[in-house]
Amino acid sequence: MPALASPLEAALTPVLALLMCATFLAVPLARLGPALRDGRFIGAILTLNFVVVPAVVWLLTRTDHGLLLAGAPVEAGTRVGIVLVLLAPCVDYVIAFTGLAGGARDRLLATAPLLLLVQAALIPLYLPLMVGTESLRLEPGPFVEALTVLLVIPLILAAVVQATRRRSRLSRGIERAGAVGMVPLMMATLLTVVGAQSAKIGSDLATVLIAVPTFILFLIVMLPLGILAGKAFGLDVPGTRALTMSGATRNSLVVLPLALALPEPLNAAALVVVTQTLVELTGMLVYVRAVPRLIR
């Protein structure tokens, strides 16, 4: 039903914002203060996502040992999409998956604005270096919009609800609705992002399939690297679990507007980003089982 693609694309940001509201309502926001003072966790998550991950992405896409060979006849848009999405650490549904894996979701939530700001600063520097096109320029607008709509506003609304729930029946009702609505909102998010792009993916399937092995290998590699980083920084079990989830989970829903705004010759980038979402969500089903067993 390709006619639904445009309205579903327009609905993605509001649906994701509602999902973030429900996620924040499930986290005791009073704990964010101590979480922000956890310098060891912040150092670990910045090192893993902005030092280790770029090195992994470069190895996966530039060496003969990578599944995407440097000399292979890969469309430029495909290469840009792979690098763009893998460089961006997730700041939204990773919090929900971290909770399912028994990780420190409060610490992860506290670092979300920092992760978004740092990736907004570094991705425009890393991306041209990795894809070999100095003319590639990314506008900061989508990152600013994501920070405001997907983090700041839902966080403020959740804080108001939590602060007034003892004396407000409405706030208690909103909190209950958030708990009940978490799964339906996740389903709605996936429906909108996949429905908005599936017709294009179906018409150009060969373009996106070449990216799938790279995304799978990334998930495999980042599991032990996240555990090792947690040990190197001396994190506790919940912190190491959260760090591992953050290293593996990418910011596909936030970088999708960036991919859609790229020039026409790079149209495949958006399809690759959506494909990464599907691969990653399948991988998260494994992660939420494996991480608690491996990090004990």
Side-chain angles (χ1 to χ4, degrees):
M1 301 167 64
L4 291 178
S6 181
L8 285 175
E9 189 172 312
L12 177 59
T13 296
V15 170
L16 186 56
L18 287 173
L19 175 64
M20 294 309 298
C21 282
T23 301
F24 293 163
L25 284 171
V27 177
L29 298 180
R31 298 181 187 172
L32 291 190
L36 280 172
R37 294 192 292 271
D38 189 347
R40 185 177 296 178
F41 180 79
I42 292 174
I45 203 167
L46 290 177
T47 300
L48 182 65
N49 280 299
F50 299 113
V51 178
V52 176
V53 166
V56 170
V57 174
W58 188 86
L59 288 171
L60 289 179
T61 59
R62 279 287 179 257
T63 74
D64 290 339
H65 300 290
L67 292 183
L68 180 61
L69 304 183
V74 178
E75 186 177 333
T78 302
R79 192 182 300 277
V80 169
I82 292 172
V83 174
L84 175 63
V85 71
L86 291 184
L87 286 176
C90 186
V91 296
D92 37 65
Y93 60 51
V94 65
I95 299 167
F97 284 121
T98 298
L100 291 173
R105 61 182 182 179
D106 55 337
R107 280 181 262 177
L108 200 55
L109 173 58
T111 61
L114 179 61
L115 287 176
L116 192 59
L117 289 171
V118 174
Q119 66 186 271
L122 292 184
I123 288 178
L125 300 177
Y126 283 152
L127 188 60
L129 293 175
M130 293 198 182
V131 300
T133 168
E134 295 298 333
S135 62
L136 187 62
R137 294 291 181 267
L138 296 179
E139 296 297 327
F143 282 106
V144 175
E145 180 183 355
L147 179 65
T148 303
V149 177
L150 303 182
L151 284 175
V152 175
I153 294 176
L155 194 58
I156 291 173
L157 292 174
V160 170
V161 169
Q162 290 188 10
T164 59
R165 62 186 168 191
R166 291 185 178 178
R167 58 182 182 273
S168 170
R169 182 178 299 177
L170 175 61
S171 293
R172 291 193 295 272
I174 292 173
E175 199 166 42
R176 286 193 297 270
V180 173
M182 179 71 77
V183 171
L185 284 170
M186 179 66 81
M187 294 168 64
T189 300
L190 298 181
L191 172 66
T192 53
V193 70
V194 176
Q197 300 293 325
S198 60
K200 297 177 184 176
I201 290 176
S203 64
D204 203 2
L205 194 59
T207 300
V208 299
L209 282 182
I210 193 172
V212 171
T214 302
F215 294 146
I216 294 173
L217 186 57
F218 179 83
L219 286 168
I220 294 171
V221 169
M222 289 312 300
L223 181 56
L225 288 180
I227 296 172
L228 289 173
K231 291 182 178 180
F233 279 85
L235 300 183
D236 57 9
V237 169
T240 303
R241 290 177 178 177
L243 179 67
T244 303
M245 298 297 291
S246 176
T249 315
R250 303 291 89 192
N251 213 4
S252 54
L253 301 182
V254 172
V255 301
L256 181 59
L258 280 175
L260 291 169
L262 290 171
E264 186 176 348
L266 302 177
N267 279 347
L271 308 184
V272 170
V273 169
V274 175
T275 303
Q276 190 275 339
T277 304
L278 301 179
V279 174
E280 178 177 273
L281 288 168
T282 305
M284 285 301 103
L285 298 179
V286 178
Y287 261 65
V288 296
R289 299 283 186 177
V291 166
R293 295 181 181 180
L294 296 174
I295 307 172
R296 304 174 71 138

